[in-house]
Structure formats: structure tokens, C-alpha cells
Amino acid sequence: MEIAKFVLTCVGSFIAVSGFFMGIWKAYSKKMEDKIKSIQQQADAKIKEAESNARTEIDEVREGSIAKSEKLERRIAALEKIVSDLQRDVSLNLGQRLSNIEGEMKGMNNILKQIQGWFINNTPRS
């Protein structure tokens, strides 16, 4: 009977010690799981924050590029208007100058005919 008590005591002690160490192991593994979850949550939060910052920067760059392209389009439109106005002015001035030159050429034609007539009339004939 003493042996049975001793064996049962040993088995009970083994079960108690195993339960104790199992509880410690469970608590440790639970603590590690909580740390891992905490780190994952922090990493997720940082990733979301980085994504938010990146989206904000992308939106700012996009808005800036749109504003610059609109500004360039306005400048190009203004330059096209200026060039068309210059072409119109040059065409008008050129037409006016050509008509002035044509008038002067007609006037010179009469003068040249008079000079030619003078030479014909005043040149001795042989």
C-alpha cells in the first residue's frame, strides 16, 4: 500500500508540476502572441499612415501638375492670339506698303517715259 501511495503521490506531483509548467507555458505563449499582435497592429497603423501620406503627396503633385498645365495652356493660347494679331498686322502693313510701292512705281513709270521721250527728241539723228 505504501508503494501505491508513493506511486500515486509521484503521479499526482507529476501532474501538478506538469500543470504548473503548462500554465506558465500558456501564459508565456499568450504574452508572446499579444506582443506579436501589438507589433502587427502598430505596423498596420504605420502602413496606413504611410499610404495616407503618399496619397496626400500624390494628390498635391497631381493638383500642382494640373495647375501648371492649365497655366501653360493659358499662356499658349495668349501667345497664339498675339502671333495671329502680329500676322494680321504684318499682312495689313505689307499690303499697304506694297500698294504704296506700286503707286511709286507707276509714278516712276511716267517719269521714265518722259526721260525716254526727252532722249528720243533731243538726240541728234545721224
Side-chain angles (χ1 to χ4, degrees):
M1 190 73 164
E2 291 275 328
I3 294 176
K5 279 184 175 180
F6 177 74
V7 169
L8 287 175
T9 305
C10 286
V11 169
S13 296
F14 177 74
I15 291 173
V17 170
S18 297
F20 176 73
F21 282 116
M22 187 60 77
I24 292 174
W25 175 253
K26 289 284 186 181
Y28 175 76
S29 64
K30 175 73 173 161
K31 187 177 178 182
M32 286 296 120
E33 287 177 4
D34 289 343
K35 280 185 180 180
I36 290 171
K37 283 183 183 178
S38 171
I39 291 171
Q40 285 177 342
Q41 289 173 349
Q42 289 174 355
D44 289 342
K46 286 182 181 179
I47 288 171
K48 287 179 182 177
E49 181 182 348
E51 286 177 349
S52 173
N53 291 341
R55 280 192 195 112
T56 304
E57 288 180 18
I58 289 170
D59 290 342
E60 289 174 358
V61 168
R62 185 176 293 141
E63 289 172 4
S65 65
I66 289 170
K68 285 181 181 179
S69 65
E70 288 174 353
K71 182 179 178 182
L72 286 174
E73 288 174 0
R74 286 192 303 269
R75 290 178 73 188
I76 289 170
L79 286 173
E80 287 175 345
K81 184 180 181 303
I82 290 170
V83 168
S84 67
D85 291 345
L86 285 174
Q87 286 178 338
R88 184 174 34 86
D89 291 344
V90 166
S91 296
L92 290 174
N93 290 336
L94 184 62
Q96 186 179 12
R97 286 187 182 197
L98 285 176
S99 65
N100 289 343
I101 291 172
E102 184 181 4
E104 289 179 14
M105 294 291 277
K106 286 182 181 177
M108 286 178 62
N109 190 20
N110 289 334
I111 293 170
L112 288 174
K113 282 184 181 179
Q114 288 175 359
I115 292 172
Q116 183 182 13
W118 183 86
F119 275 116
I120 291 173
N121 292 334
N122 293 330
T123 309
R125 300 188 193 225
S126 29

